[in-house]
Amino acid sequence: MPSETRSPRLAVLIDADNASPKIVDALFEEIAKIGEASVRRIYGDFSGARSKGWADVLARYAIIPQQQFAYTSGKNASDITLVIDAMDLLHSGRFDGFCLVSSDSDFTRLAARIREQGIDVFGFGEQKTPESFRQACRRFIYTENLVPAAATGGEEAVPARKKPLQPAGEACAIIRKALDQMEGEDGWVGLGALGTQIANLSTDFDPRNFGCRKLSDLVRKSDAFELEAGEGGSLRVRARQDGKKAEPSGTASKRAVMKAAAPVPEEGAGSLDWLRAQPAGRGKDPA
């Protein structure tokens, strides 16, 4: 019998000094979308109050603590240990990807080195994370998107984020840039391919940054783009032209045929603009 296809093996390495334990539930839910968290390690001084929150959740997710006592203040013994372990795991050849959970730019070179080996790196950190580290990862996810609106049980309350990290309008530039690089003769681009190209252009692009759950929601929310169902029911995107709603593909040719077959309307009479108003079918959203 053929063996069952296994999910990508991931090594999850958490910097306890630069990540909040409040994200742990959503963090591993997010990682599960990528692959299997085969190795789960966290680095810090768990004898201090600063890392106590992590100590309370380690057993729930079988995270192995790598204790590093702060013998001297201001030293980054935990970071060094994380890097050593990462290189050992990398050279074992057993992993398809690494998840580095930290907002510390000191891990920029580590992420770059892992990717030089042809292994994907997924970063998780706060929006304040320096660009160098964000760009060194294949994809970078802001942990603000993982913080729950409110903690439950006996946990400390977490203030709800009332507005998105960024206004939706700021997404238009990167979406338009990706479209310009991909669009065909009719201007339409598959939504899935568009998402891939955007990720190549900006590693930290995430529809959740703009208050949307999926890329299709973000495109619909913007007035700069149009969405239609293409062949096979997959969604396609096209930039609005001259500030007007984009026509579904094939409409222009239909307009020309009908115009040739129909008498020329008198001035002020109705035209064929109604074709633009015809609703496009909705297909499966690949986002």
Side-chain angles (χ1 to χ4, degrees), residues 3-269:
S3 60
E4 182 180 351
T5 302
R6 186 182 182 122
S7 300
R9 292 181 175 88
L10 304 174
V12 181
L13 307 179
I14 304 172
D15 177 10
D17 294 334
N18 283 283
S20 170
K22 297 181 179 68
I23 68 169
V24 66
D25 295 326
L27 171 66
F28 280 97
E29 288 179 7
E30 195 74 20
I31 291 173
K33 299 175 185 177
I34 304 172
E36 175 189 347
S38 300
V39 168
R40 309 177 183 193
R41 299 180 186 176
I42 188 168
Y43 302 80
D45 182 4
F46 301 99
S47 64
R50 183 176 183 180
S51 300
K52 185 181 184 302
W54 277 110
D56 295 338
V57 300
L58 296 182
R60 190 194 313 169
Y61 287 96
I63 306 172
I64 306 302
Q66 305 296 311
Q67 172 67 32
Q68 293 297 316
F69 292 101
Y71 297 112
T72 305
S73 61
K75 301 299 181 180
N76 54 351
S78 297
D79 293 356
I80 294 174
T81 305
L82 189 156
V83 172
I84 293 173
D85 282 3
M87 296 309 295
D88 286 343
L89 295 170
L90 173 65
H91 290 299
S92 73
R94 295 184 289 115
F95 298 94
D96 303 299
F98 283 73
C99 296
L100 303 180
V101 186
S102 178
S103 303
D104 192 343
S105 63
D106 288 348
F107 296 115
T108 298
R109 186 66 186 96
L110 173 63
R113 178 63 185 85
I114 294 173
R115 294 195 69 188
E116 287 173 3
Q117 202 73 16
I119 305 298
D120 289 332
V121 177
F122 302 92
F124 296 82
E126 297 178 3
Q127 194 176 13
K128 67 179 182 181
T129 303
E131 184 179 10
S132 59
F133 182 34
R134 289 187 277 118
Q135 294 302 321
C137 301
R138 178 189 173 188
R139 185 183 175 205
F140 194 90
I141 299 168
Y142 292 137
T143 53
E144 286 90 344
N145 290 321
L146 306 180
V147 175
T152 59
E155 297 181 359
E156 180 182 352
V158 179
R161 182 161 41 83
K162 297 182 179 180
K163 61 181 181 180
L165 297 178
Q166 301 170 352
E170 292 188 9
C172 292
I174 186 68
I175 295 176
R176 191 178 299 277
K177 183 176 182 179
L179 283 173
D180 290 343
Q181 294 177 351
M182 302 176 62
E183 67 180 13
E185 294 181 359
D186 59 358
W188 292 99
V189 173
L191 184 67
L194 176 64
T196 300
Q197 182 64 13
I198 292 174
N200 292 335
L201 292 173
S202 179
T203 61
D204 60 350
F205 183 91
D206 189 331
R208 291 173 296 185
N209 296 345
F210 308 96
C212 298
R213 190 170 64 89
K214 300 180 295 184
L215 178 58
S216 57
D217 297 334
L218 180 58
V219 171
R220 290 189 182 98
K221 186 176 181 179
S222 171
D223 292 330
F225 309 99
E226 278 297 318
L227 215 59
E228 76 157 20
E231 296 181 2
S234 59
L235 293 178
R236 306 194 303 171
V237 184
R238 180 181 177 181
R240 292 184 188 274
Q241 298 180 343
D242 300 326
K244 297 180 180 180
K245 183 177 180 179
E247 296 176 330
S249 59
T251 298
S253 59
K254 292 178 182 178
R255 185 192 299 276
V257 171
M258 296 183 69
K259 183 176 181 180
V264 178
E266 298 179 1
E267 183 178 358

Side-chain angles (χ1 to χ4, degrees), residues 227-229 245 248 274-282:
L227 215 59
E228 76 157 20
K245 183 177 180 179
W274 61 271
L275 284 173
R276 289 188 178 185
Q278 302 307 304
R282 294 185 61 186

